[in-house]
Amino acid sequence: MIPPEEDYATRRQQLAEQIERQRGQLAAAYNDLEKPILYAEYGIRTVGFLRQNAWIFVAVPTTVKMAFSILGLKKKPSKSAPGTQNQGQRKSTVVNLATKALEFYQLYRRVRSFIP
């Protein structure tokens, strides 16, 4: 069964190395079994948090919109109509600030019941 050039000690050492390698692979696979369970648990926690704090769905989009407007990140105007650029330039700073203040007040009205 064993070729004559191999003796039992060499074969035993090869089998021991193979078993050790397979044990390491089994341990790594066992550790990886935990990952999907952890990800599902994190997802369940997130859904529970969002269910308890529904105001986040109102606050986050409004906050992002206000931050973009404050920083000046706007959509580029489309070149469909030549008069649209002039209309955007005609708005005064006071009107812009009043619009932002109104949006912020509406956000406050929506979330004030959640604020302790």
Side-chain angles (χ1 to χ4, degrees):
M1 294 193 221
I2 298 176
E5 62 270 354
E6 278 189 18
D7 60 346
Y8 287 106
T10 307
R11 181 72 176 147
R12 189 177 322 149
Q13 183 178 2
Q14 289 175 351
L15 289 175
E17 289 173 1
Q18 184 180 6
I19 290 170
E20 189 64 33
R21 187 172 46 252
Q22 288 175 351
R23 283 182 181 167
Q25 292 172 349
L26 181 63
Y30 183 75
N31 287 337
D32 288 341
L33 282 176
E34 194 175 276
K35 287 182 181 179
I37 296 169
L38 287 176
Y39 293 149
E41 186 177 322
Y42 294 151
I44 291 170
R45 286 182 187 172
T46 303
V47 169
F49 176 78
L50 291 175
R51 286 184 70 202
Q52 290 177 354
N53 300 303
W55 58 270
I56 291 175
F57 291 113
V58 175
V60 170
T62 307
T63 305
V64 169
K65 184 178 176 182
M66 289 173 50
F68 281 171
S69 65
I70 289 172
L71 295 175
L73 302 173
K74 298 180 181 178
K75 293 181 182 176
K76 293 183 179 180
S78 62
K79 296 183 180 182
S80 60
T84 55
Q85 292 178 353
N86 292 337
Q87 290 174 355
Q89 292 173 352
R90 289 182 193 157
K91 277 189 170 182
S92 68
T93 306
V94 176
V95 174
N96 285 336
L97 289 176
T99 306
K100 305 287 185 256
L102 180 63
E103 289 176 3
F104 187 73
Y105 177 70
Q106 289 173 348
L107 170 66
Y108 168 73
R109 283 187 37 209
R110 289 180 192 152
V111 298
R112 72 178 165 194
S113 62
F114 300 108
I115 298 174

